[in-house]
Structure formats: structure tokens, C-alpha cells
Amino acid sequence: TVLPSTIADAPELLQILDNKDTVFCRDFNSLKYTAIRTDANVFFCHDMAFRLDLSAICNDAETLRMRMGRTVGKKNKLKLFKCQLDLGKVSLYTFLGGRHAFRRDRERQPRNDGLASAAGIDVSNLFQLGLQNQSGHDLVSYYFIEAVRKFDSIETDRLHVAIAAALLGKHVLFFENAYFKNRAVYEASLKDRYMNVIPAWGHDGIN
């Protein structure tokens, strides 16, 4: 089973799937592309991040910290300490009025580079720590959500930053990434469900 994904230019993957497999696509571009290129069962499904129970994750944070303190080694404790420092960095950035959370990797849209370099913070990249147990995943999710919560409003080309901000009721100006993913997921899952998310490509002079 392939969980909700954006799929493009993936012939090798699709060719090895058969009618016993199931593929969930999180946008209709991927759905159309995949359905005619594989024997697998193909369905649309909203991105899994929309199913997050934010209150449960945040309410359990202290329990998770205690559990992680008992079960992880020194290296992972240092990673979690880094999370706390990075959350403080986001707090200071937003306190000073910062609102940019743009990616700097190969999936970035070059038109956004000016915004990405304007002292912004790539929130998603801060919390990619490689922790390998469920408690670690949950605790990193907590820090990520709390980082997004610090923003009053946010401008981003990170899909999951936009989704988390949408769930938190933040005002989001959502920019394109290097290919169709952000625009397609916006059309499929955000446009009619989260009025607080505004596409930057719909603004004069932007994108």
C-alpha cells in the first residue's frame, strides 16, 4: 500500500505494482497520472496530516518528554535538546515579526528564493532529526506543531507547514514549490475547506 502521496514521473514504481496493491493519491493530478500507468487499485485520499489530533499531541508532550528521557541514548537526547533550542529560535523570529518559512532544498521554487533568504526559517528542516521510535516521532511532531503555532501569520512553500497552520487557524499565504504538488494539494484539500489558506499564485505580482 502506498499512503497518500503526490506521484509524478515514477514509471519504475508503478510498473512493479499489481492488482493486489493499493495506491492512495493526495491530489487529482497524481490520481490521473497513476490510474492509467498501473494495475494497482488507485484512490484519492487527503494527505495524512489532515488527520492529526493537534490537541492530543500537544497535551501528551510532557509525558512523551519523560518517556524519551528514559528510553533514548545520549545522541538522541542531544537531538531533543536541539529541538528545544530551535523552538526558541522560532519564538524569537516570530516575536520580531517574522513570517517566512520557505524551503531551501531542490524542491524549492526559484521564484521564492528572495523570500527564502530573507532571514526566514525552514521550519520543516529544523525538526528532521531521524529519531527511530514512535515516542521520538510524536515528540518531534509536537515541536513542529508548536513552532508553527508561534506564527501569527505565515508565508510558506512547505506543504505540511501550510497544513499544520491551516489546522491551527493561522492565516497562510501558500506558495508553489518546484513542481505541481502544492497547487494540486491546495485544489484538492485546502481550497474549499480552509478559507484561512490563500494561494500566492492568485495574488497580483506574486508567483
Side-chain angles (χ1 to χ4, degrees):
T1 298
V2 178
L3 294 177
S5 303
T6 295
I7 300 174
D9 193 24
E12 296 86 359
L13 167 65
L14 299 180
Q15 286 170 8
I16 65 173
L17 301 176
D18 59 31
N19 59 13
K20 296 179 182 177
D21 298 306
T22 301
V23 178
F24 292 102
C25 298
R26 61 184 173 184
D27 64 82
F28 299 115
N29 297 52
S30 299
L31 186 71
K32 293 174 183 177
Y33 172 86
T34 303
I36 63 175
R37 290 174 171 83
T38 183
D39 293 326
N41 302 290
V42 183
F43 302 97
F44 169 76
C45 182
H46 295 294
D47 189 283
M48 295 294 287
F50 287 104
R51 298 177 178 269
L52 284 174
D53 185 340
L54 301 187
S55 60
I57 291 173
C58 294
N59 290 340
D60 290 344
E62 187 58 37
T63 300
L64 289 169
R65 274 194 289 267
M66 293 174 61
R67 189 186 308 158
M68 287 295 292
R70 294 193 299 267
T71 60
V72 303
K74 182 177 180 180
K75 183 177 180 181
N76 283 341
K77 286 182 180 178
L78 289 174
K79 288 181 178 181
L80 294 176
F81 180 65
K82 179 181 180 299
C83 280
Q84 296 176 28
L85 292 178
D86 286 337
L87 186 59
K89 183 190 302 183
V90 175
S91 295
L92 177 60
Y93 175 67
T94 56
F95 175 77
L96 295 174
R99 61 182 187 277
H100 293 155
F102 287 88
R103 65 190 317 139
R104 294 179 171 86
D105 58 15
R106 65 182 182 179
E107 199 177 309
R108 78 188 194 285
Q109 169 55 254
R111 289 195 299 268
N112 301 335
D113 283 354
L115 294 171
S117 62
I121 293 181
D122 186 354
V123 174
S124 294
N125 191 54
L126 283 181
F127 302 108
Q128 292 182 4
L129 302 181
L131 295 172
Q132 299 300 315
N133 59 60
Q134 188 60 52
S135 294
H137 295 164
D138 290 344
L139 193 53
V140 168
S141 296
Y142 161 76
Y143 281 114
F144 171 76
I145 292 164
E146 286 303 298
V148 175
R149 194 191 302 275
K150 300 294 183 183
F151 289 82
D152 292 326
S153 64
I154 191 165
E155 298 180 14
T156 188
D157 58 356
R158 283 283 192 180
L159 175 62
H160 289 113
V161 171
I163 292 174
L167 295 174
L168 290 166
K170 303 293 182 178
H171 179 272
V172 184
L173 187 57
F174 191 30
F175 287 73
E176 291 182 282
N177 63 319
Y179 64 110
F180 66 85
K181 179 183 71 176
N182 286 1
R183 189 184 286 246
V185 174
Y186 171 81
E187 292 291 335
S189 300
L190 289 163
K191 181 178 180 180
D192 296 322
R193 301 168 69 216
Y194 296 92
M195 299 299 104
N196 51 318
V197 181
I198 307 300
W201 53 89
H203 281 225
D204 292 340
I206 301 179
N207 276 26

